[in-house]
């Protein structure tokens, strides 16, 4: 799958979430952020569920970012964050990997303590194919 194809596929998978986000008063993610997961994964992973992994990674980023906005947008940030968390979980199902779920859990625990930022998250995404074996 090409980078452009993966971007388009992930955009389609997350279209409903973007529509909901657009209805809120919260600014949509910039284009540079919308493709973080797809762009990171297309370079290191060619597995059959690359689109689901990219969508899960993108949703993970969004649910964390949105939950960080709860003080400014209590209802919308909570609901959208929960929506993207549900999509994160849904997209992990086809990958059927306990070690992948554990990797996200460990990252979340560590990142809450360190707040590594986008570059750290991209590095994490690039390490995920090793977790999948």
């Amino acid at each position: 799958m090409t980078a452009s194809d993966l971007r388009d596929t992930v955009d389609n998978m997350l279209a409903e979430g973007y529509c909901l986000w657009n209805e809120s008063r919260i600014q949509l993610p910039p284009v540079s952020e919308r493709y973080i997961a797809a762009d990171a994964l297309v370079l290191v992973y060619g597995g059959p569920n690359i689109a689901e992994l990219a969508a899960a990674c993108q949703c993970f980023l969004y649910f964390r970012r949105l939950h960080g906005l709860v003080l400014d947008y209590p209802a919308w940030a909570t609901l959208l964050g929960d929506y993207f968390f549900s999509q994160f979980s849904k997209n992990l199902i086809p990958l059927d990997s306990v070690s992948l779920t554990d990797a996200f859990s460990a990252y979340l625990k560590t990142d809450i303590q360190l707040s590594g930022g986008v570059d750290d998250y991209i590095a994490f995404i690039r390490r995920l194919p090793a977790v999948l074996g």
Side-chain angles (χ1 to χ4, degrees), residues 61-83:
L61 174 69
Y62 290 158
F63 100 78
R64 295 184 61 247
R65 172 104 8 108
L66 286 160
H67 281 177
L69 296 174
V70 168
L71 292 177
D72 295 326
Y73 308 96
W76 274 110
T78 300
L79 292 171
L80 282 172
D82 289 354
Y83 172 83

Side-chain angles (χ1 to χ4, degrees), residues 18-102:
Y18 289 137
C19 286
L20 293 170
W21 201 322
N22 196 41
E23 291 177 20
S24 77
R25 294 185 318 192
I26 304 171
Q27 184 175 357
L28 281 164
V31 171
S32 61
E33 185 178 295
R34 284 177 73 150
Y35 304 111
I36 285 173
D39 291 348
L41 281 170
V42 78
L43 298 173
V44 296
Y45 184 65
N49 297 106
I50 188 171
E52 288 80 3
L53 181 56
C57 290
Q58 200 64 41
C59 289
F60 187 81
L61 174 69
Y62 290 158
F63 100 78
R64 295 184 61 247
R65 172 104 8 108
L66 286 160
H67 281 177
L69 296 174
V70 168
L71 292 177
D72 295 326
Y73 308 96
W76 274 110
T78 300
L79 292 171
L80 282 172
D82 289 354
Y83 172 83
F84 278 103
F85 183 79
S86 74
Q87 295 305 297
F88 161 73
S89 300
K90 175 185 153 192
N91 284 296
L92 285 182
I93 291 170
L95 293 151
D96 193 27
S97 172
V98 173
S99 59
L100 181 63
T101 304
D102 289 347

Side-chain angles (χ1 to χ4, degrees), residues 114-128:
L114 304 176
S115 297
V118 172
D119 290 336
D120 184 55
Y121 187 59
I122 292 169
F124 167 73
I125 291 171
R126 288 184 178 148
R127 291 189 301 269
L128 290 176

